[in-house]
Amino acid sequence: MIRLENLQKTFVVDGRAVPALNGISLDVPEGEVFGIIGRSGAGKSTLIRMLNLLERPDSGRIAIDGRDITGLSDAALRGVRQQIGMVFQHFNLLSSRTVAENVRLPLELTASGSRAEQDARVAELLELVGLAAHRDKYPSQLSGGQKQRVGIARALANRPKLLLCDEATSALDPQTTQSILDLIADINRKLNLTVVLITHEMGVIRRIADRVAVIDGGRIVEMGPVAEVFLHPQHAATQSMVAELSHADELADSGLLDSATGAVWRLTFVGATTHEPILFDTASRYGLSFSLLQGTVSRLKDLPYGQLVVEWHGEAARLAEAREGLSARNVVVEVLR
Amino acid sequence: MELDWSLLDWAEIGVATWDTLRMLGWSLFFTVLFGLPLGVLLFLTSRRQLLANGWLNRVLSFVANVLRSVPFLILLVVMIPVTAWLVGTSLGVEGSIPPLVVGATPFFARLVETALREVDRGVIEAVQSLGATRWQIVWKVLLPESRPGLMAAVTVTAITLVSYTAMSGVIGGGGLGDLAIRYGYQRFQTEVMIVTVVILIAMVQALQMAGDWLVARVSRK
């Protein structure tokens, strides 16, 4: 669906060259939810805006559906853009138009269908995003979450194959964020729409992305399935973003680690293992006792996972056996102490 | 000083008021007709906008600035031959419309440019991402989104034109200004001066109220 090859972009600010993207290459297959995460200034915004050429790269190739879009004429580029929906952090709705008129705008631009057909399409879209009752309101009368739903309906009006989400939930509160992410995930499933989203929040990636690229200083420093990157972050930038979400810093701050007298392990497991009584089994089988220092059991999109920090007491030989036993059950063991 | 209101020729004041309204109406019409596209062009050719063109923008900007820096009274006089060629006379209502339009158009265009700058860049970008042409962006985004600002610009311009029409009395332009100069100033009839000033004040008040009402009506923010 999308193939980026060696994208380069440098901005000139006050006469100084500021590199924004430095050799970005990636592939996004059709139907995937692909997340791009990075701190502000990492270059992620520049990157997503290149996918419909709101920003042009200095060099490199951007292929959408196998076609390089960097060399297209204005008219051909407009055609490509009509096939790519985009949702923005600040919604960017037209304040002079009602909800229904905002959603109709893309249809007017492409002059697609009669007035009646456009009406029907608008009604269908407002139904999809749950705003049918608000069709004649103006954006200023809506909440943030409702505005974003209008933004999503507008982005979908021309039945795009690709949806770009530029920090789509960053201006929303946690509950609204959840409902908007559910909506995007729902649309991705129902319409088999490819979604590329950028965010600075690991929580967003965790909830809806299939794969993720971590971008730092204009480069992709880590990329892979979300479970892998999230549970076993390699790069420092990824580790710090994951730590924020899993409260790993709190463990260090709490002093629990320093005051521990036994062996402290971090256990990570995904899928069916999450439902197994691994701690009890291990303790009883190897004659160990344990206390739980910290733990998370949650989901990565549809995949259940757990991450527990456990302090064990027992004989060293039994501990070593326990460690192998856990590994055999697909539990990843990291020794913290 | 004793004021003698019996000397007032109300019929002549009526004609003068009507003349002023005609001058105002026509000159406002042509000012908007020429100033709106000029303002849009000034905006579009400015830095980082859809038709960013430094050279064209500097030329337009320079012309607008030159016209705006000429005092209107001087412009009236300088324009006399052009006006005579354009409408056949440099006197009366017809003769005062060209200088009024030339004087007000750059002013209005600058106000239009400012109103368009108020349109959220993100909204323009969103519509670009939908594959809109530049023309569609102007018609479907820039102008509708800046409607309150444009209404306010028309109001301010109309009020400026009222004072310009009064000045055009100097070159025999007709209307209330002409009346005030001929009777109030040259013949020391203070009563005429007072009445014309009161009518002008009423006109400006009415324009401002109508403008405010329109702005409130089209505001959706």
Side-chain angles (χ1 to χ4, degrees):
Chain A
M1 182 77 211
I2 303 173
R3 163 161 291 179
L4 306 183
E5 287 170 19
N6 199 21
L7 293 182
Q8 303 277 352
K9 178 80 182 182
T10 302
F11 289 112
V12 178
V13 182
D14 298 331
R16 283 187 315 125
V18 180
L21 294 180
N22 195 351
I24 299 278
S25 300
L26 57 85
D27 280 283
V28 180
E30 196 178 321
E32 186 172 76
V33 179
F34 187 83
I36 298 169
I37 187 167
R39 304 266 180 215
S40 50
K44 58 189 191 301
S45 220
T46 309
L47 178 56
I48 199 167
R49 288 156 50 81
M50 276 186 186
L51 298 181
N52 57 5
L53 286 194
L54 284 178
E55 201 83 66
R56 282 192 173 269
D58 295 337
S59 66
R61 251 173 62 90
I62 303 168
I64 306 283
D65 255 352
R67 185 158 69 140
D68 187 2
I69 61 170
T70 52
L72 293 179
S73 67
D74 276 6
L77 177 59
R78 282 198 297 275
V80 170
R81 282 177 174 167
Q82 285 158 9
Q83 293 298 306
I84 303 177
M86 191 162 188
V87 179
F88 302 85
Q89 178 176 5
H90 298 295
F91 326 122
N92 296 352
L93 303 176
L94 275 70
S95 61
S96 59
R97 285 179 167 237
T98 63
V99 167
E101 287 166 350
N102 264 288
V103 177
R104 186 199 305 278
L105 178 67
L107 304 174
E108 287 174 22
L109 297 178
T110 52
S112 52
S114 66
R115 181 86 189 178
E117 283 164 345
Q118 292 186 357
D119 279 337
R121 178 73 183 139
V122 169
E124 186 186 330
L125 287 159
L126 291 179
E127 197 65 47
L128 177 72
V129 300
L131 281 181
H134 301 285
R135 54 166 293 134
D136 294 322
K137 287 191 177 167
Y138 285 92
S140 60
Q141 298 167 290
L142 302 178
S143 69
Q146 289 170 329
K147 284 182 197 169
Q148 197 56 293
R149 284 168 186 273
V150 179
I152 291 170
R154 176 176 70 179
L156 296 176
N158 274 323
R159 304 180 194 277
K161 293 171 287 185
L162 172 62
L163 182 67
L164 308 176
C165 302
D166 185 354
E167 296 273 13
T169 58
S170 300
L172 304 174
D173 63 56
Q175 277 101 335
T176 316
T177 294
Q178 181 65 59
S179 77
I180 293 292
L181 293 178
D182 288 346
L183 176 63
I184 294 172
D186 190 43
I187 291 164
N188 162 253
R189 270 191 295 269
K190 271 190 198 153
L191 310 177
N192 193 35
L193 189 73
T194 310
V195 179
V196 175
L197 58 93
I198 65 161
T199 180
H200 61 275
E201 294 169 300
M202 208 46 159
V204 170
I205 300 288
R206 191 186 76 183
R207 282 184 200 134
I208 70 166
D210 297 309
R211 284 199 308 141
V212 60
V214 181
I215 181 164
D216 190 50
R219 292 172 181 277
I220 292 178
V221 294
E222 199 160 349
M223 178 157 60
V226 171
E228 209 169 280
V229 173
F230 184 78
L231 296 174
H232 308 292
Q234 303 299 314
H235 192 270
T238 323
Q239 283 166 354
S240 78
M241 281 184 287
V242 169
E244 272 168 26
L245 194 69
S246 61
H247 309 291
D249 299 347
E250 285 172 23
L251 181 67
D253 292 345
S254 68
L256 281 171
L257 213 52
D258 297 327
S259 61
T261 51
V264 182
W265 299 348
R266 179 187 285 126
L267 310 179
T268 305
F269 41 88
V270 296
T273 317
T274 314
H275 301 288
E276 293 171 15
I278 48 166
L279 292 181
F280 175 79
D281 285 357
T282 307
S284 56
R285 191 158 163 196
Y286 302 102
L288 307 172
S289 66
F290 68 89
S291 52
L292 199 51
L293 301 186
Q294 195 207 25
T296 309
V297 178
S298 184
R299 285 174 171 278
L300 288 163
K301 199 168 184 182
D302 300 319
L303 181 72
Y305 78 96
Q307 199 156 48
L308 306 174
V309 178
V310 183
E311 179 181 354
W312 300 98
H313 289 280
E315 292 170 32
R318 303 295 274 168
L319 278 169
E321 282 172 34
R323 197 174 160 192
E324 272 170 35
L326 284 166
S327 298
R329 293 178 75 166
N330 291 320
V331 176
V332 177
V333 180
E334 287 167 84
V335 178
L336 302 182
R337 245 185 85 99
Chain B
M1 186 175 68
E2 285 287 307
L3 294 179
D4 184 358
W5 299 96
S6 63
L7 286 174
L8 282 178
D9 183 345
W10 288 101
E12 193 161 10
I13 290 171
V15 170
T17 305
W18 177 236
D19 281 351
T20 292
L21 287 174
R22 276 164 63 214
M23 278 192 275
L24 177 64
W26 283 112
S27 56
L28 185 62
F29 172 78
F30 285 111
T31 298
V32 172
L33 188 71
F34 299 133
L36 190 63
L38 182 60
V40 171
L41 208 55
L42 272 169
F43 172 75
L44 290 180
T45 57
S46 61
R47 240 163 66 89
R48 305 204 311 133
Q49 298 300 340
L50 294 173
L51 293 173
N53 182 327
W55 182 82
L56 183 58
N57 188 261
R58 273 193 293 276
V59 170
L60 289 174
S61 211
F62 179 73
V63 172
N65 288 345
V66 166
L67 286 174
R68 285 185 59 196
S69 52
V70 177
F72 186 63
L73 207 57
I74 310 287
L75 187 71
L76 276 172
V77 177
V78 171
M79 283 277 296
I80 289 175
V82 182
T83 307
W85 173 77
L86 213 59
V87 295
T89 175
S90 65
L91 298 174
V93 172
E94 292 81 3
S96 54
I97 290 172
L100 286 171
V101 173
V102 171
T105 295
F107 174 71
F108 180 65
R110 284 294 189 197
L111 294 179
V112 169
E113 187 193 4
T114 310
L116 296 179
R117 280 197 199 292
E118 293 296 307
V119 176
D120 185 354
R121 233 191 124 69
V123 174
I124 298 172
E125 203 159 70
V127 179
Q128 265 182 308
S129 83
L130 293 169
T133 61
R134 294 187 182 95
W135 195 242
Q136 284 173 325
I137 290 172
V138 171
W139 283 107
K140 291 195 178 281
V141 185
L142 286 176
L143 294 179
E145 285 290 293
S146 59
R147 217 158 34 184
L150 294 177
M151 292 295 173
V154 172
T155 308
V156 172
T157 305
I159 288 169
T160 306
L161 277 168
V162 170
S163 73
Y164 280 7
T165 60
M167 262 191 263
S168 73
V170 175
I171 58 155
L176 289 167
D178 198 24
L179 198 68
I181 286 171
R182 280 189 292 125
Y183 290 83
Y185 177 61
Q186 291 164 348
R187 301 189 200 171
F188 305 107
Q189 290 189 15
T190 311
E191 299 84 354
V192 178
M193 192 71 101
I194 290 171
V195 170
T196 53
V197 167
V198 168
I199 294 173
L200 288 172
I201 289 172
M203 252 182 219
V204 169
Q205 284 294 334
L207 284 169
Q208 186 65 56
M209 280 164 66
D212 289 346
W213 179 79
L214 271 175
V215 170
R217 231 184 89 94
V218 299
S219 288
R220 301 285 180 220
K221 292 236 171 176

